[in-house]
Amino acid sequence: MSLAVRLQALAVSALILAAFLALWQIGVSGTGPTQQMDPEYAKLMGATATEGKSAMPGPLDVGRTIWGHLKDPFYDKGPNDKGIGIQLAWSILRVGIGYLAAVLVAIPIGFLIGMSPLMSRALNPYIQLLKPVSPLAWMPLALYTIKDSGISAIFVIFICSLWPMLINTAFGVASVRREWLNVARTLEVGPLRRAFTIILPAAAPTILTGMRISIGIAWLVIVAAEMLVGGTGIGYFVWNQWNNLSIVDVITSIVAIGLVGMVLDQLLAQAQKLVTFPE
Amino acid sequence: MGQNLIAIEGIAKRYPAKGGGETTVFEDLWLRVRRGEFVCVIGHSGCGKTTVLNILAGLDAPSAGTVIVDGREIAGPALDRAVIFQGHALLPWKSVLGNVAYAVASRWRKAPKAEIEARARAAIAKVGLAGSENKRPAELSGGMKQRVGIARALAIEPKILLMDEPFSALDALTRGTLQEEARRICRETGQTVYMITHDVDEAIYLADKIVLMTNGPGARIAEIVENPLPADRRQGAIHHDPNYYALRNHLIDFLVSRSKTFRDNPPPGYDPRHPPLVRLGGPAPEPRLPRAGEAERHLEAAAG
Ligand SMILES: Nc1ncnc2c1ncn2[C@@H]1O[C@H](COP(=O)(O)OP(=O)(O)OP(=O)(O)O)[C@@H](O)[C@H]1O
Ligand SMILES: [Mg+2]
């Protein structure tokens, strides 16, 4: 893409953002009808009901909140009041552990399936059966057997990261070009050296694609999992702010979740670039 | 035995046919190749040339018969037989040097790194690619890729070089240059070569002996033609040789007509164990120029 097109795209992006923020601000600044009510009740309901102020916070409110979080992301004032940074760190930690465990399991098993038609056939029914199960369906079972909500969340991340990596590794390994394998055969390369010098580099782009899909799913699932198990994490934070009726914080979390997800995806995209080879 | 480096003894290849039964691609194939000989195989598409080469390489197993290399029956691929694949088969994630060094390191497993690199660089220089060591295969032209394939094969100093239409995907000029270099290198090192080609002129320029295979199914080796051209023949000047047209006509004639009828009507006294060795030359036989376009049409059909 030429520089001019890039600049134009940037300008359009900025325009869309400005229009969105403006519409948002206009949308929430109008006053709705107010009801007559008992003063005690009115106090309970807050400004929304008594002054007709919109329940939705405006972009300025959200901006202020984000600024507040940015100033002190890691404060800790007890179990129900921690900074958004701490909550995100918990979520990233859980995703990291569950995801790495899945890598360690999926890639060797994927290799096995990809290299052995027998194992591929033998394991296929289980994969086909378990793959479509929502990872959250495992949660009760995990809570019951593990008896620890944090580790259960990690287990759910492990399960949901497993399938894309397993399937992509198996596919990548199985579709290594016959001629590259023949090169290794004519050079009398042993099975272990062949796995590391031919099959792994040849399948790496496909494996990385699976890893990238997995990290995306893991980051989607962690929010829901933490809403269920509670305690810490960005999912719990969102749910907690909803219970506090702090829509500003909910919106702030949505932005934060999006940003972290984007960074995780970009990290794997970079890794993918490193192992991709032109043909 | 004795001087024979390769002895193909009665090999056959059969595949299960669709409606039950079997199809025989070729059978009762016998061939001996001497040390230092350059052999080219010519035959119609689908007659089983690649299959024979893969069996020689150990990548495929015959349904019957054996192949003996240097006095030993082969069992699978080995480093004494290097293959130059039709699709070059370079590893795209490795550089030119990496590709050649990979082969060298496989051949001399305990050699120090420096020696491996030196051998790889020498092989790359031999095919005229010095200076391109750090390029990836994707950055190379078709001719350069094929050169890397040749360097990789020669670097392991194989007893036998197996080539499956190594130059057929190249333009005419590049092909000519590479043929010349391949012939020079193989003559200098006394390399034994078994090569498949669709190009009659390529066979005439390169080969000491040209093996003619009949059409499949049930293909045989019809005959082995000795090349009457002098050993110091030059690329681009072979057609000035008095024996050139006799040889070329003989080969074209086989491909155009005799390859179809040979199997069902073998000449009297034909013994597949000892395919006749044909020597052309001496007094030039009746010149029979191919009809216009005949050779080209045939070659296109064969290449398809
Ligand atoms: N796996 C297979 N199953 C059944 N038939 C096969 C199989 N592999 C090859 N053949 C058949 O064996 C025959 C010989 O194939 P081969 O590739 O050796 O031909 P070829 O002489 O090298 O042809 P070309 O000149 O086109 O390269 C073909 O007719 C092909 O259909
Ligand atoms: Mg072929």
Side-chain angles (χ1 to χ4, degrees):
Chain A
M1 243 196 303
S2 72
L3 189 66
V5 175
R6 267 191 239 181
L7 283 176
Q8 280 170 5
L10 198 67
V12 173
S13 290
L15 214 67
I16 291 173
L17 180 67
F20 173 71
L21 291 176
L23 281 175
W24 182 9
Q25 183 65 39
I26 293 165
V28 299
S29 58
T31 49
T34 47
Q35 290 167 299
Q36 287 305 109
M37 59 179 85
D38 179 55
E40 274 296 300
Y41 185 54
K43 213 172 106 194
L44 208 66
M45 294 297 284
T48 312
T50 49
E51 295 161 26
K53 191 175 183 302
S54 170
M56 277 301 283
L60 292 175
D61 306 315
V62 174
R64 260 194 296 278
T65 313
I66 291 177
W67 180 241
H69 282 303
L70 278 182
K71 270 198 302 198
D72 189 11
F74 296 110
Y75 72 85
D76 188 352
K77 297 179 194 152
N80 282 330
D81 193 6
K82 294 189 207 301
I84 196 169
I86 290 191
Q87 308 289 23
L88 278 172
W90 272 107
S91 300
I92 292 172
L93 182 73
R94 285 185 187 128
V95 165
I97 297 174
Y99 180 78
L100 278 184
V103 170
L104 293 181
V105 171
I107 291 182
I109 296 184
F111 249 77
L112 188 69
I113 295 174
M115 287 171 80
S116 149
L118 174 85
M119 290 312 282
S120 168
R121 280 202 157 233
L123 293 178
N124 194 41
Y126 300 107
I127 295 174
Q128 296 304 332
L129 179 76
L130 297 178
K131 185 179 61 147
V133 176
S134 162
L136 293 172
W138 292 90
M139 188 61 97
L141 207 58
L143 286 170
Y144 178 72
T145 45
I146 303 172
K147 297 187 173 64
D148 179 293
S149 60
I151 300 179
S152 297
I154 291 173
F155 175 75
V156 167
I157 294 302
F158 167 79
I159 284 287
C160 77
S161 313
L162 197 62
W163 311 116
M165 286 196 269
L166 190 64
I167 290 163
N168 270 49
T169 306
F171 176 73
V173 168
S175 47
V176 173
R177 288 231 221 121
R178 169 121 249 125
E179 52 180 42
W180 296 336
L181 295 173
N182 279 345
V183 168
R185 287 178 66 197
T186 55
L187 293 174
E188 293 186 52
V189 173
L192 202 64
R193 186 157 174 258
R194 185 178 62 209
F196 280 102
T197 57
I198 304 276
I199 300 174
L200 190 61
T206 321
I207 297 176
L208 258 292
T209 305
M211 290 176 72
R212 198 171 163 193
I213 297 171
S214 281
I215 198 79
I217 294 177
W219 191 242
L220 287 179
V221 167
I222 191 67
V223 175
E226 285 170 347
M227 282 179 176
L228 279 177
V229 298
T232 47
I234 192 70
Y236 166 74
F237 181 78
V238 173
W239 202 248
N240 202 27
Q241 297 308 334
W242 163 238
N243 285 335
N244 295 340
L245 280 180
S246 173
I247 302 297
V248 204
D249 281 306
V250 172
I251 295 175
T252 308
S253 314
I254 288 174
V255 175
I257 292 170
L259 284 175
V260 172
M262 199 170 85
V263 169
L264 290 177
D265 185 61
Q266 283 309 305
L267 283 177
L268 279 153
Q270 290 305 319
Q272 198 173 15
K273 250 190 213 161
L274 283 181
V275 300
T276 303
F277 46 84
E279 278 196 48
Chain B
M1 277 290 297
Q3 283 187 308
N4 288 333
L5 183 55
I6 308 173
I8 295 177
E9 306 203 327
I11 60 169
K13 186 73 187 178
R14 300 190 181 88
Y15 287 108
K18 264 206 192 109
E22 286 182 326
T23 45
T24 302
V25 181
F26 54 79
E27 65 183 336
D28 215 9
L29 228 60
W30 296 73
L31 180 71
R32 283 159 207 89
V33 178
R34 291 186 186 185
R35 210 176 289 278
E37 233 168 17
F38 200 125
V39 169
C40 277
V41 182
I42 288 188
H44 274 272
S45 189
C47 71
K49 302 181 297 294
T50 299
T51 311
V52 173
L53 186 128
N54 283 342
I55 291 171
L56 280 175
L59 294 169
D60 205 346
S63 313
T66 56
V67 175
I68 293 167
V69 167
D70 211 7
R72 260 196 228 141
E73 187 176 334
I74 62 166
L79 283 156
D80 61 354
R81 282 159 279 141
V83 186
I84 293 178
F85 298 90
Q86 184 166 6
H88 64 75
L90 299 179
L91 307 176
W93 57 88
K94 282 185 191 288
S95 64
V96 168
L97 183 64
N99 267 284
V100 180
Y102 185 70
V104 177
S106 306
R107 171 75 169 79
W108 292 280
R109 270 157 224 260
K110 302 217 167 74
K113 256 201 153 97
E115 189 196 324
I116 289 172
E117 195 183 316
R119 277 182 186 274
R121 282 184 187 279
I124 292 167
K126 211 192 248 177
V127 297
L129 278 184
S132 301
E133 285 91 348
N134 294 321
K135 290 203 174 118
R136 294 289 172 103
E139 301 169 64
L140 304 179
S141 68
M144 289 163 93
K145 281 183 206 159
Q146 207 51 270
R147 280 168 203 252
V148 180
I150 295 171
R152 178 172 66 183
L154 292 175
I156 64 171
E157 296 176 3
K159 283 184 198 155
I160 301 166
L161 191 57
L162 302 168
M163 302 201 262
D164 192 352
E165 302 184 39
F167 310 128
S168 62
L170 305 175
D171 65 274
L173 269 176
T174 316
R175 193 185 318 154
T177 326
L178 274 181
Q179 285 167 354
E180 218 173 313
E181 285 173 15
R183 181 167 160 81
R184 176 180 55 79
I185 294 170
C186 291
R187 270 170 60 82
E188 278 171 5
T189 54
Q191 183 69 53
T192 310
V193 186
Y194 182 95
M195 171 170 155
I196 297 170
T197 179
H198 269 126
D199 182 341
V200 169
D201 278 336
E202 180 170 272
I204 295 175
Y205 174 59
L206 290 175
D208 300 321
K209 281 181 184 157
I210 300 163
V211 175
L212 304 181
M213 269 178 90
T214 70
N215 289 5
R220 302 282 178 86
I221 290 177
E223 58 189 43
I224 298 163
V225 182
E226 235 174 42
N227 193 339
L229 269 59
D232 61 350
R233 56 185 176 264
R234 284 191 15 251
Q235 162 84 353
I238 48 171
H239 53 278
H240 295 311
D241 192 279
N243 287 319
Y244 170 74
Y245 281 105
L247 177 59
R248 187 183 157 84
N249 289 344
H250 185 84
L251 299 178
I252 299 272
D253 182 52
F254 175 81
L255 288 172
V256 172
S257 51
R258 286 201 298 137
S259 61
K260 298 183 194 87
T261 55
F262 190 97
R263 192 191 54 212
D264 301 322
N265 301 303
Y270 172 74
D271 174 9
R273 267 174 173 260
H274 301 282
L277 184 66
V278 176
R279 284 197 180 87
L280 298 167
E286 193 77 349
R288 177 200 165 275
L289 289 170
R291 286 187 302 279
E294 182 185 81
E296 286 69 24
R297 263 203 316 283
H298 161 71
L299 288 176
E300 271 162 27

